[in-house]
Amino acid sequence: MAEITDKILQEYDASQIQVLEGLEAVRKRPGMYIGSTSTSGLHHLVYEIVDNAIDEALAGYCDRIEVTIEEGDIIRVSDNGRGIPVDIQEQTGRPAIEVVYTVLHAGGKFGGGGYKVAGGLHGVGASVVNALSEWLEVEVCKDGKKYSMAFARGDITKELTEVGQSDCRGTTVRFKPDAEVFDDTVYDYETLHKRMREQAFLNAGLKISTEDCREGKSQRHDMHYEGGIREFVRYINKNKAPLHSEVIYMSGSKEDSMAEIAMQYNEDSYNDIILSFANNIHTPEGGMHEEGFRRALTNTLNSYAKKTGLFKNDEKLSGDDCREGLSAIVSVKLTDAQFEGQTKAKLGNSEMRTLVNSIVSEGLDRYLEEHPAVGRAIIDKAMTASRAREAARRARESIRRKNALEGSTLPGKLSDCNERDPALTELYIVEGDSAGGSAKQGRDSRFQAILPLWGKMLNVEKARADKVYANDKLTPVIMALGAGIGTDFDESRLRYHKVVIMADADVDGSHIRTLLLTFFFRFMRPLIDGGYVYAACPPLYKLVRGKVTRYAFSDEERDLISAEMRGENLNAKVDISRNKGLGEMNPEELWDTTMNPETRIFKRITMDDAVRADEIFTLLMGEKVEPRREYIERNAARAVNIDI
């Protein structure tokens, strides 16, 4: 694993386990330690245990990690590292393994010499997982012996015990999340698999496997990427057309810090995706390492274009021009990572900006000098982007002048609400004038606004920004929201804090939802990041018996409600009709089923995985037909709500 894998000379023993404070607050305030008690917090438990194993890999002592979901949603994580110390820890007089799992802020990551670099929660992870588990068992193979210990909700239920001999080494942790703490204790295999795949990319040569052993869900993936982040970039670009075949790779180190960068441009993409990591922790808000990359990229491309005569007159590329169509991974590893916030969304170490800037400035310049054809292709793409961006600026200014976007003018088809506090208002973007009319009559005009759309919307995945800004189907949406678009988007000016896409439960409705979400994802990303976007869920079925009317949102619910309405009279007639579209529902039905806050069902659109989101939008809405056809064929059997 590059320069960072030099083994530490000290032994990993109890002297390196240091105690900072107790464990009392974890069960009372779990959200402070794992973010939430929802499904994200549930999966975070696994990440904490895996992070400890990866820290062993970073130190050069582990090359295999196995993550398994057992029956009953029990998690097992095994590694072949040194094994958690089992000798007596001097400060407490207790076995080190007990201290690690029962004392908050106890571990080998506080300067005791156990690790050069580390992810995880810096000693919080193991004890937090223990505190939030119904039970946890840990088995350590070390120095020819096997040891075990068990806990329940943080308390010891089985003291550290030597249970036999072993020729192996490493740690195995099994735990069952506490149903008293979490909203749901069912694990999603794909969520864990994606996270582990990411870790395998970031740690070249490390073997990570995921396996689901639950009945009816059996599957396994073995991940091992000798190419590391180079292969990560190829994975991101698998549905795109590369501008140059080779992934550009740069790396370097200074003292105990190192950085590596991989990047590749695409011919048919107008968007960029830059993923940054610090000690294997994803930093979605970037930070100093990402800032160093962006700055060096812009300066290097401008300098190269100028000295090779590719610029005409006094041309200059902006950062956006240089990043159009770029996929890049920036990964740094350092001894004392300073993250902003408990969730570690942003890296604050200023020295990493300097290190990354230096590596990219020197490495990219050298690569372009050695590959002039690639250099010209990149500069040509950036200059095309620059011209298109200028056209987009003129189009955006034209929209502002024509429609008074920054004033009080609103689109003619918008039926606005009376409330002016954005936190209390909702905008329904409705498919078609007919449905828009029903929604307008059925809404609560105090806080619900209606904007009907008509015709097919522009697929922004296949259009440059200037075409988007000038599109007559998208302009009303931009005007109604009032927050601008692209780099001009200002969240504080948003007129509605619930933006609800309300489309039919059929193929056309799904297409419209996808087009709108693609637009929001590419040009109004803060809408999704801020949790403002929702999808309304109109019912699929209407069931009537006598004067009783009920609605069902799935086939299973339809059958259950039908049985309930018949009651003991199995021969009773229940009229069941499938809702064909929003426009066929009268205003009262639309209010009762889809718009009434007391009875409606909404799905909030979230951005949990930027790589997957970019991949799906590119695959479904991009230029390449073959990957899209393969995806449809592969997932056809899982399709739901198809118009019949």
Side-chain angles (χ1 to χ4, degrees):
M1 285 168 275
E3 294 88 346
I4 209 69
T5 58
D6 296 336
K7 293 189 178 181
I8 300 160
L9 296 179
Q10 295 102 321
E11 287 295 318
Y12 184 39
D13 56 30
S15 66
Q16 295 158 9
I17 305 301
Q18 302 178 8
V19 180
L20 301 186
E21 63 178 70
L23 184 61
E24 294 83 6
V26 179
R27 287 186 64 83
K28 290 184 178 179
R29 297 180 178 86
M32 290 179 60
Y33 299 90
I34 57 170
S36 76
T37 56
S38 65
T39 183
S40 62
L42 178 74
H43 290 79
H44 196 95
L45 297 184
V46 185
Y47 307 156
E48 288 302 330
I49 300 299
V50 171
D51 283 345
N52 290 337
I54 289 178
D55 290 340
E56 280 288 279
L58 289 175
Y61 294 99
C62 168
D63 64 7
R64 188 180 71 254
I65 301 171
E66 297 179 356
V67 181
T68 307
I69 309 176
E70 299 180 356
E71 196 65 60
D73 288 278
I74 295 166
I75 295 294
R76 182 176 76 245
V77 178
S78 300
D79 69 66
N80 65 344
R82 290 170 290 179
I84 299 173
V86 294
D87 51 337
I88 298 299
Q89 198 272 338
E90 185 177 352
Q91 285 175 269
T92 62
R94 302 294 298 169
I97 187 173
E98 175 185 325
V99 177
V100 167
Y101 278 91
T102 60
V103 180
L104 195 62
H105 294 308
K109 307 174 186 178
F110 299 107
Y115 296 99
K116 271 187 179 180
V117 301
L121 286 177
H122 298 284
V124 176
S127 57
V128 166
V129 175
N130 190 17
L132 301 180
S133 296
E134 182 180 324
W135 57 261
L136 181 146
E137 301 170 347
V138 58
E139 184 180 273
V140 173
C141 294
K142 191 177 181 74
D143 302 325
K145 298 179 180 179
K146 181 183 292 186
Y147 304 85
S148 71
M149 193 168 188
F151 310 85
R153 297 185 170 96
D155 296 327
I156 299 171
T157 57
K158 177 186 174 184
E159 296 283 351
L160 177 65
T161 306
E162 183 181 327
V163 294
Q165 304 296 310
S166 176
D167 295 331
C168 303
R169 71 173 193 181
T171 303
T172 297
V173 181
R174 293 178 71 244
F175 66 89
K176 182 174 178 58
D178 193 349
E180 294 179 3
V181 174
F182 294 96
D183 304 334
D184 186 358
T185 57
V186 177
Y187 276 99
D188 177 60
Y189 175 82
E190 188 57 29
T191 298
L192 293 180
H193 169 228
K194 287 189 292 186
R195 172 74 175 222
M196 296 309 112
R197 180 178 62 210
E198 182 180 276
Q199 295 300 316
F201 279 130
L202 291 169
N203 296 278
L206 178 61
K207 301 180 181 71
I208 303 182
S209 68
T210 54
E211 185 171 11
D212 195 338
C213 295
R214 293 171 295 185
E215 185 177 355
K217 298 182 178 181
S218 178
Q219 56 182 313
R220 179 185 173 93
H221 291 86
D222 296 302
M223 294 154 286
H224 179 217
Y225 305 109
E226 289 292 351
I229 62 172
R230 296 179 185 85
E231 294 192 50
F232 200 165
V233 170
R234 292 192 190 97
Y235 175 81
I236 293 172
N237 288 343
K238 64 182 180 181
N239 293 320
K240 301 173 183 176
L243 184 66
H244 47 99
S245 59
E246 183 181 13
V247 174
I248 302 172
Y249 176 82
M250 299 156 280
S251 67
S253 61
K254 184 177 182 181
E255 297 174 350
D256 282 343
S257 299
M258 66 88 69
E260 55 177 344
I261 301 96
M263 54 182 280
Q264 185 181 44
Y265 284 89
N266 301 288
E267 289 182 359
D268 54 353
S269 176
Y270 304 135
N271 308 288
D272 66 84
I273 179 166
I274 299 173
L275 300 177
S276 59
F277 301 85
N279 292 353
N280 296 319
I281 306 293
H282 179 36
T283 46
E285 295 179 18
M288 292 298 175
H289 53 335
E290 191 170 318
E291 185 179 318
F293 170 73
R294 291 170 181 263
R295 185 177 299 178
L297 177 70
T298 303
N299 291 340
T300 301
L301 290 185
N302 274 291
S303 175
Y304 176 78
K306 186 174 182 179
K307 71 182 180 182
T308 54
L310 296 176
F311 276 161
K312 300 174 183 176
N313 303 321
D314 295 325
E315 289 180 296
K316 186 175 182 179
L317 300 169
S318 70
D320 287 335
D321 300 332
C322 295
R323 293 189 299 271
E324 183 171 294
L326 174 67
S327 296
I329 305 294
V330 180
S331 177
V332 300
K333 297 186 172 96
L334 62 162
T335 304
D336 186 23
Q338 302 296 320
F339 294 100
E340 296 184 11
Q342 181 65 56
T343 56
K344 301 182 180 178
K346 192 173 184 179
L347 183 68
N349 298 71
S350 59
E351 68 272 17
M352 299 314 295
R353 176 176 57 197
T354 304
L355 178 59
V356 173
N357 191 311
S358 173
I359 292 170
V360 174
S361 296
E362 296 174 11
L364 183 58
D365 185 65
R366 182 168 58 250
Y367 183 90
L368 297 178
E369 291 282 0
E370 295 173 355
H371 302 81
V374 175
R376 174 175 285 278
I378 292 174
I379 297 300
D380 284 348
K381 182 174 179 63
M383 291 176 70
T384 301
S386 179
R387 290 189 289 270
R389 213 170 301 282
E390 176 59 24
R393 186 191 64 77
R394 292 194 298 268
R396 190 165 62 245
E397 291 297 329
S398 175
I399 292 174
R400 284 176 179 166
R401 290 192 298 270
K402 182 179 179 181
N403 300 302
L405 266 180
E406 295 183 326
S408 59
T409 301
L410 293 171
K413 284 184 173 286
L414 174 70
S415 298
D416 206 1
C417 56
N418 299 322
E419 177 62 56
R420 288 296 173 260
D421 182 354
L424 303 177
T425 61
E426 304 172 352
L427 174 66
Y428 284 78
I429 302 177
V430 186
E431 172 195 358
D433 283 337
S434 177
S438 292
K440 180 180 177 181
Q441 295 176 56
R443 66 174 176 149
D444 186 331
S445 61
R446 292 176 301 165
F447 64 94
Q448 292 177 327
I450 309 297
L451 178 64
L453 297 180
W454 67 100
K456 287 295 182 184
M457 185 174 291
L458 177 71
N459 179 3
V460 301
E461 197 71 21
K462 299 180 180 180
R464 285 194 178 275
D466 53 323
K467 302 295 184 184
V468 174
Y469 296 149
N471 185 263
D472 61 352
K473 302 293 190 299
L474 293 173
T475 299
V477 178
I478 301 168
M479 294 170 63
L481 293 176
I485 185 174
T487 56
D488 290 340
F489 190 89
D490 182 354
E491 192 172 332
S492 67
R493 291 163 48 204
L494 187 61
R495 300 182 68 247
Y496 311 92
H497 282 191
K498 275 192 174 68
V499 181
V500 186
I501 302 172
M502 191 160 71
D504 290 341
D506 59 15
V507 174
D508 287 339
S510 295
H511 191 205
I512 289 172
R513 273 192 299 274
T514 303
L515 288 169
L516 262 175
L517 289 175
T518 306
F519 170 58
F520 290 152
F521 178 72
R522 296 302 188 197
F523 290 91
M524 293 183 171
R525 179 73 174 270
L527 274 183
I528 299 178
D529 290 336
Y532 297 116
V533 183
Y534 298 79
C537 300
L540 291 179
Y541 298 99
K542 178 180 180 180
L543 298 88
V544 179
R545 183 187 175 191
K547 295 182 179 180
V548 178
T549 300
R550 296 180 65 181
Y551 298 92
F553 294 83
S554 67
D555 291 354
E556 294 79 8
E557 190 176 16
R558 173 201 61 194
D559 296 340
L560 182 62
I561 292 174
S562 177
E564 289 177 359
M565 293 178 76
R566 288 188 176 89
E568 296 181 359
N569 184 2
L570 299 179
N571 295 320
K573 181 175 176 56
V574 176
D575 291 323
I576 302 176
S577 58
R578 193 182 196 284
N579 285 328
K580 290 297 183 182
L582 298 170
E584 297 183 12
M585 299 173 71
N586 63 47
E588 292 76 17
E589 285 180 318
L590 199 54
W591 166 257
D592 289 338
T593 63
T594 315
M595 302 180 71
N596 184 349
E598 300 295 326
T599 57
R600 69 192 181 190
I601 296 177
F602 278 0
K603 292 181 180 178
R604 174 178 269 170
I605 308 301
T606 61
M607 190 56 62
D608 292 331
D609 188 340
V611 176
R612 182 60 175 163
D614 181 80
E615 176 188 345
I616 288 295
F617 278 120
T618 301
L619 186 149
L620 294 179
M621 310 304 292
E623 297 286 355
K624 285 192 172 183
V625 175
E626 189 59 32
R628 180 158 54 247
R629 180 164 55 241
E630 291 176 1
Y631 178 86
I632 292 170
E633 291 173 349
R634 187 170 62 251
N635 293 280
R638 298 166 56 191
V640 295
N641 296 348
I642 298 298
D643 188 23
I644 56 174

